[in-house]
Amino acid sequence: MAPIKISQVKKTYQGNVTAIHGLDLDIEDGEMVVLVGPSGCGKSTLLRMIAGLETITDGTISIGGEVVNRKEPAERDIAMVFQNYALYPHMSVRQNLEYGLKNRGTPREEIDRRVNEAARVLEIAPFLDRKPRQLSGGQRQRVAMGRAIVRQPKAFLFDEPLSNLDAKLRGQMRIEIRRLQRSLKTTSVYVTHDQLEAMTLADRLVVMNAGRIEQVGKPIELYDRPASLFVAGFIGSPPMNLFKLDALSRAAGQDLAASLPAGTDIVGIRPDRIETGSGTGLRLSGAVELIEPVGGESHLYVRVEGLDQVVIIVVEGRSRLSEGEVLDFVLPLDALHPFNTETGRRAD
């Protein structure tokens, strides 16, 4: 059993620069938790503190019930997968997989069993005698994952492992990582700035901003009910449309304040919840400035007079509209998300 418990963890660098502000996070045994947020939000720093590669200024980190603050990385029984693979170029794939086990004094028979099993699971058996330079990016990442798997650690830590791969390979490797994690049931912490990776891989998603946790929950929960303006704007592609309440009320010719929670001054709606044509809710219209066909759906960018902003609308299929054409659309009242600017939080 290897749950990870992060209690009031803080990281301050010289010059009194605080990168992590007293975080609390419990990661259950066998759970895949994804840390996501913009560059500089502290997600990689937090991962490195779990790994022991960064010292903790304050607070405690426990792995499997044991506080590891003063333990070296090698003593924490974790395995880390990096974005640059970190393979030994002069060694074969087999030697890369065996290296950590040999250093731990693992018996030869057990080394062979673990290496062969990892090679089978990751489908890299045909490449065991090749050097890393003879492999593609996707194959190298599989080897890096294999090196982590053979360790049979308490936890896997992934530091943006797919960022060096092209879009097609990233999609394939996302599937592989999720399949493996579910099969091995090993506690995993995964860092990424790519929200598609975050949404598809996570059992629970942790959205970070400026060294703090904005929201924790299942990916669909964060999408359906963002707890802050930051999460509303960060999670979702295209992002949530956000309107000033008074401007939206004027543009729609309808006072919304009475139907929303007290303190609401910003209203949001997901692009895929906006209805084109007839419907019940706030009626708006505007000129289509741009149409992005994205396979099975189209993204419409519509400028609405009185709002002084572009509204993004997602419609199924290929739009028959032309750029410059006026579009009528409706914002359903039950799809609106209320926020307060002063607190930055959800208003209800």
Side-chain angles (χ1 to χ4, degrees):
M1 301 290 285
I4 298 174
K5 186 177 183 63
I6 299 166
S7 302
Q8 284 297 295
V9 167
K10 183 178 181 181
K11 176 64 179 179
T12 302
Y13 293 102
Q14 288 184 344
N16 204 32
V17 177
T18 301
I20 299 291
H21 300 265
L23 295 190
D24 291 301
L25 179 65
D26 289 343
I27 300 170
E28 297 177 7
D29 180 48
E31 186 178 31
M32 168 72 92
V33 166
V34 178
L35 309 179
V36 66
S39 297
C41 71
K43 56 188 184 295
S44 290
T45 300
L46 180 58
L47 189 80
R48 290 173 63 83
M49 286 195 292
I50 297 172
L53 301 176
E54 288 275 2
T55 57
I56 301 168
T57 304
D58 200 4
T60 60
I61 293 178
S62 301
I63 300 176
E66 181 181 10
V67 175
V68 297
N69 289 33
R70 299 186 181 277
K71 285 184 173 289
E72 294 296 320
E75 300 173 320
R76 300 191 180 198
D77 196 13
I78 52 92
M80 198 159 182
V81 180
F82 298 92
Q83 58 182 304
N84 62 356
Y85 317 128
L87 301 176
Y88 296 108
H90 62 288
M91 294 183 181
S92 68
V93 169
R94 183 185 295 278
Q95 290 169 331
N96 267 282
L97 296 177
E98 293 176 344
Y99 186 75
L101 297 177
K102 284 184 175 180
N103 284 349
R104 288 170 165 243
T106 306
R108 181 74 248 178
E109 183 178 335
E110 179 64 10
I111 291 176
D112 290 340
R113 187 191 69 77
R114 293 192 194 182
V115 168
N116 291 334
E117 176 62 13
R120 181 190 66 79
V121 170
L122 291 166
E123 299 179 355
I124 55 174
F127 316 127
L128 287 175
D129 296 324
R130 296 186 189 180
K131 297 289 177 63
R133 66 176 180 274
Q134 297 173 298
L135 305 178
S136 68
Q139 290 166 346
R140 291 181 201 178
Q141 195 55 274
R142 285 171 186 255
V143 175
M145 290 169 58
R147 188 173 54 188
I149 288 170
V150 297
R151 289 267 312 278
Q152 297 182 353
K154 290 181 179 177
F156 291 133
L157 307 181
F158 297 88
D159 189 8
E160 304 204 40
L162 309 184
S163 61
N164 288 336
L165 304 180
D166 61 37
K168 182 179 179 181
L169 275 177
R170 281 202 304 272
Q172 293 172 348
M173 290 305 298
R174 277 200 310 272
I175 296 170
E176 289 296 324
I177 290 173
R178 193 64 180 121
R179 180 179 62 82
L180 280 169
Q181 198 277 331
R182 284 178 173 169
S183 173
L184 298 172
K185 296 181 174 59
T186 303
T187 307
S188 302
V189 184
Y190 189 106
V191 163
T192 182
H193 64 275
D194 185 322
Q195 63 172 282
L196 180 58
E197 280 180 32
M199 294 288 287
T200 54
L201 285 173
D203 291 321
R204 280 193 304 151
L205 200 55
V206 179
V207 179
M208 295 186 63
N209 179 31
R212 293 181 170 85
I213 292 177
E214 288 278 339
Q215 189 174 356
V216 181
K218 294 180 180 180
I220 198 63
E221 292 173 352
L222 272 63
Y223 183 86
D224 287 342
R225 193 177 175 80
S228 69
L229 280 167
F230 180 84
V231 176
F234 189 81
I235 296 297
S237 181
M240 179 179 287
N241 294 290
L242 296 171
F243 311 98
K244 292 181 179 178
L245 179 59
D246 54 356
L248 181 61
S249 294
R250 286 195 302 269
Q254 183 176 337
D255 186 5
L256 291 171
S259 60
L260 293 169
T264 301
D265 59 3
I266 295 287
V267 175
I269 187 169
R270 293 289 182 194
D272 58 351
R273 292 299 309 276
I274 298 177
E275 301 174 3
T276 56
S278 61
T280 303
L282 301 180
R283 296 181 177 277
L284 298 170
S285 65
V288 178
E289 287 194 346
L290 178 67
I291 300 173
E292 288 182 336
V294 190
E297 63 185 31
S298 297
H299 300 171
L300 312 180
Y301 295 78
V302 182
R303 183 168 295 279
V304 179
E305 289 187 19
L307 284 178
D308 193 30
Q309 71 182 80
V310 171
V311 179
I312 307 174
I313 304 172
V314 173
V315 296
E316 292 185 5
R318 300 176 184 178
S319 175
R320 296 181 180 180
L321 294 168
S322 301
E323 292 178 5
E325 191 172 341
V326 174
L327 174 68
D328 296 323
F329 59 93
V330 175
L331 312 185
L333 294 179
D334 63 357
L336 299 181
H337 297 262
F339 299 98
N340 178 267
T341 304
E342 185 176 350
T343 63
R345 309 298 294 180
R346 194 177 186 90
D348 56 355

